[in-house]
Amino acid sequence: MKITLMRAAACLALFGSAMAHAQTYPTKTITMIVPFAAGGPTDTVARLVAQSMGTKLKQQIIIENVGGAGGTIGAARVAKAAPDGYTLFLHHIGHSTAPSLYRKLAYNAQTDFETIGLVTDVPMMIVARKDFPAKDMKELLAYVKANKDKVTYANAGVGSASHLCGMLFMTAIGTDLTTVPYKGTGPAMNDLLGGQVDFMCDQTTNTTSQVKGGKIKAYGVTTKTRLPFMKELPTLAESGLPGFDVAVWHGLYAPKGTPKPIVDTLAGALQTALKDPTVKQRFADLGTEPVAESRARPEALRAHVKAEIERWQPIITKAGVYAD
Ligand code: ASP
């Protein structure tokens, strides 16, 4: 009886201190980890959201880029971070494909994280260096098949969205290509611009301005419908790859054990950021839009991660792609 009472008192004290902490939170700079290199699409989304959330929370949110191994190095870092609300994690669809792609992961994508909310769904484009010898998707498919030993495909490593898109693309055309992995598609884009690699599939948040500026060529969009701001660009499904439909969803997380009042504060700040006219405008310029408020919530992202892990597992097993 005495022990039970003591335990209850200890629990109350812990709860009390978490509440007190949550009431004053945040009192210092917050770090948002992005598991890819600076200058890429995930980094771009994170910086826009972090700036606006920071304004709402009256504390700066800085971005730390922890790239490598398709986002799994950054995820492992967050899984081990202190659950105090000062480490956040902005990742994308790769958080749900990594558990099936990696034989060994240093974390559990569901149980090692608190979910805060979904952020945005971003279409991808197949893009190539400016002087790539194919004028449309039909020619690109023919060229790639005929030159499979010399064509190079850039991606951000096994587990990245560009890897996933490439994997689906190669499965659809029945051809394996030489892939060139980077720590993010920011640096991959630099090499595409410089002509060192031939093509890649990446979020519109990285490709739109380069395509509009005529610096790279676009061949198709990965979603079921065409992009409202680039109507002339066909979907991959229309261009000989039926059923192709991928959008890169992004979510915001904290380490497991981050107190619920803090998670709720962060979810509120995320919802405010997604209504910020500057964020909405920048997202629109880059070919995306914020998710509806009902999806920018902890329970919505939790359910989404689970459903996506279940969705990709059989597809990845069928493709037979694994990493150690
Ligand atoms: N777009 C990258 C990917 O392939 C990641 C990044 O650099 O943001 O997942």
Side-chain angles (χ1 to χ4, degrees), residues 36 40-43 92 156 160-162 184-186 202-203:
F36 297 105
T42 314
D43 180 71
H92 62 33
S160 63
S162 45
T185 46
D202 201 20
Q203 288 107 297

Side-chain angles (χ1 to χ4, degrees), residues 12 36 79 98 119 152 156 188 282:
L12 264 177
F36 297 105
V119 178
T152 49
R282 285 290 295 134

Side-chain angles (χ1 to χ4, degrees), residues 34-44 70 91-94 124 155-157 159-164 183-187 201-203 206 248 250:
V34 171
F36 297 105
T42 314
D43 180 71
T44 300
H91 195 2
H92 62 33
I93 191 168
M124 301 181 93
N155 71 21
S160 63
S162 45
H163 168 263
L164 177 69
K183 280 192 174 177
T185 46
C201 176
D202 201 20
Q203 288 107 297
N206 200 29
V248 182
H250 293 68

